[in-house]
Amino acid sequence: MTLTLTVSNEVRALAPGFTHVAIEAHGLVNGPSTDASSALLDEAARRLAVRLDGKAPHEDPHMAAWRDTYTAFGSKPSRTRNSAEALAKRALSDAGLPRINVLVDLYNAISVAHLIPVGGEDLDHIQGGMRLVRATGTEDFVTVAGGEETVEHPDAGEVLWRDEAGVTCRRWNWRQGPRTRLTEQTTSAIFLLECLPPLPTTEAEAAGAELAELLEKFSPGARITVRDE
């Protein structure tokens, strides 16, 4: 069954040019990071360095647009960076990109190489459809702090992704909750590539096609559907 993704009118008013590419995949094979997935992350960091040509990630026009949007819903973009900018800073640092698991490595590599926020959610842990909304401030965001499960509440007006059970990602694409993240046991997932002007739609589509190709390569026989929305 195709997952329903809804963007609220309030979010569209805040960011009228927002688009996303969704990739739904079933029959995936995940596991610990491999030499091959690690090499993709290294190559993504090299592609990023060429793309930026000495500039900082936040100077990229697409990242600047995300900073403006974060400011518009009340978040400080220098403190809570969108996921692509945060990964780009890691990629350019001595620490380098983290190795999580194969599926996360794949979408992180695409995010860094194209400077597009990309997220992955385990479809078996999503309840109902997913909605991009502005928070009331009463929603539950279940996360882990100090090794223990804790419940946070978003700021009123904050943009977030949620399903019927609660918040899945805070501040649009800043922090994902553990309930729906991709684990080594994940076999079905939805991947979201989130884009704002001035990023050309052709760039978003190319990034989505590249991720779909990688998923097919690392999970032969997986059923993959790409949706531009």
Side-chain angles (χ1 to χ4, degrees):
M1 187 176 72
T2 299
L3 178 72
T4 301
L5 297 167
T6 306
V7 179
S8 72
N9 291 335
E10 292 79 8
V11 172
R12 292 201 182 279
L14 178 77
F18 171 69
T19 58
H20 63 272
V21 176
I23 301 173
E24 188 166 331
H26 300 270
L28 295 167
V29 178
N30 202 11
S33 298
T34 64
D35 289 345
S37 70
S38 182
L40 283 171
L41 291 169
D42 290 338
E43 176 60 21
R46 287 190 287 270
R47 291 168 65 181
L48 173 69
V50 171
R51 185 188 194 98
L52 291 175
D53 191 24
K55 298 191 298 290
H58 71 265
E59 296 178 277
D60 175 85
H62 191 213
M63 296 297 92
W66 276 106
R67 282 192 164 219
D68 289 344
T69 300
Y70 269 49
T71 300
F73 66 76
S75 290
K76 294 182 178 179
S78 59
R79 291 183 57 194
T80 55
R81 296 177 176 88
N82 76 79
S83 62
E85 184 183 333
L87 277 175
K89 284 181 66 67
R90 285 286 301 270
L92 297 173
S93 73
D94 292 338
L97 288 165
R99 275 58 174 167
I100 308 298
N101 57 57
V102 169
L103 290 177
V104 175
D105 290 352
L106 297 188
Y107 79 70
N108 279 348
I110 294 301
S111 178
V112 168
H114 291 268
L115 266 184
I116 293 174
V118 184
E121 306 281 352
D122 190 319
L123 284 172
D124 290 332
H125 295 280
I126 294 290
Q127 297 188 29
M130 289 180 60
R131 293 176 285 140
L132 187 64
V133 299
R134 299 198 69 173
T136 63
T138 61
E139 298 89 348
D140 287 344
F141 178 68
V142 181
T143 187
V144 175
E148 296 187 2
E149 185 175 287
T150 184
V151 178
E152 298 177 356
H153 301 288
D155 300 325
E158 178 183 322
V159 176
L160 52 82
W161 280 101
R162 65 160 302 155
D163 64 1
E164 295 305 319
V167 178
T168 57
C169 194
R170 283 198 58 189
R171 293 184 184 142
W172 207 314
N173 45 39
W174 168 63
R175 180 188 289 171
Q176 183 185 32
R179 172 171 60 91
T180 59
R181 67 175 50 147
L182 304 186
T183 70
E184 294 179 14
Q185 288 71 48
T186 297
T187 58
S188 296
I190 187 83
F191 301 89
L192 292 176
L193 295 81
E194 301 185 300
C195 311
L196 293 170
L199 187 84
T201 55
T202 51
E203 173 76 5
E205 291 164 356
E210 187 177 345
L211 178 54
E213 185 177 313
L214 287 174
L215 293 171
E216 290 170 354
K217 177 181 178 181
F218 280 78
S219 294
R223 303 182 306 281
I224 298 168
T225 304
V226 180
R227 299 150 49 186
D228 300 332
E229 302 179 359

